[in-house]
Amino acid sequence: MNPSLLAWLLVATSVIAEVVGTIALKHSDGFSKLFPSVAAAACYALAIWLMAVAMRHLDMGVTYAVWAASGTAATALVGIAVYGEHLGILKALGLVCIVGGVVMLNLGNQQ
């Protein structure tokens, strides 16, 4: 498998681990519940490790930007879909800007 493709798959898996960790963090009730607290810490550690491994083959700036933006957008969408958080015009516009920014970073990386 192409090392770059594998690296991006690791970044995607890292984003999933980050989002799952954030969900666990919400359920930890301020780290007062053991299982969600341990799950949050484990998921965050896994996310960072996967991103570090991916950066062996990817540029640091683009990798971190894609990871952070994707995690932010995915977490916001989970909040809306699962926890009934409000999706207003500004939040929707912000999500569009995040996705657009990631696309521009990737296009700029190809130049």
Side-chain angles (χ1 to χ4, degrees), residues 1-2 9 13 15 18-19 27 35 39-40 44 50 61 63 69 74 77-79 81-82 84 88 90 93 95 104:
M1 181 180 281
N2 179 341
L9 290 173
T13 306
V15 169
E18 180 199 7
V19 172
H27 291 276
F35 178 74
Y44 285 142
L50 288 168
T63 303
L77 292 173
V78 167
V82 176
L90 288 177
L93 184 58
L95 289 170
M104 287 189 290

Side-chain angles (χ1 to χ4, degrees), residues 12-93:
T13 306
S14 176
V15 169
I16 292 167
E18 180 199 7
V19 172
V20 171
T22 303
I23 293 167
L25 188 65
K26 178 168 179 63
H27 291 276
S28 76
D29 196 27
F31 287 116
S32 65
K33 296 179 180 173
L34 181 62
F35 178 74
S37 299
V38 170
C43 286
Y44 285 142
L46 176 62
I48 296 298
W49 178 75
L50 288 168
M51 189 173 61
V53 172
M55 277 197 262
R56 290 177 180 163
H57 301 284
L58 301 171
D59 292 341
M60 178 188 65
V62 173
T63 303
Y64 182 76
V66 168
W67 178 79
S70 300
T72 299
T75 301
L77 292 173
V78 167
I80 292 162
V82 176
Y83 297 102
E85 295 176 5
H86 177 70
L87 175 62
I89 292 260
L90 288 177
K91 189 181 281 188
L93 184 58

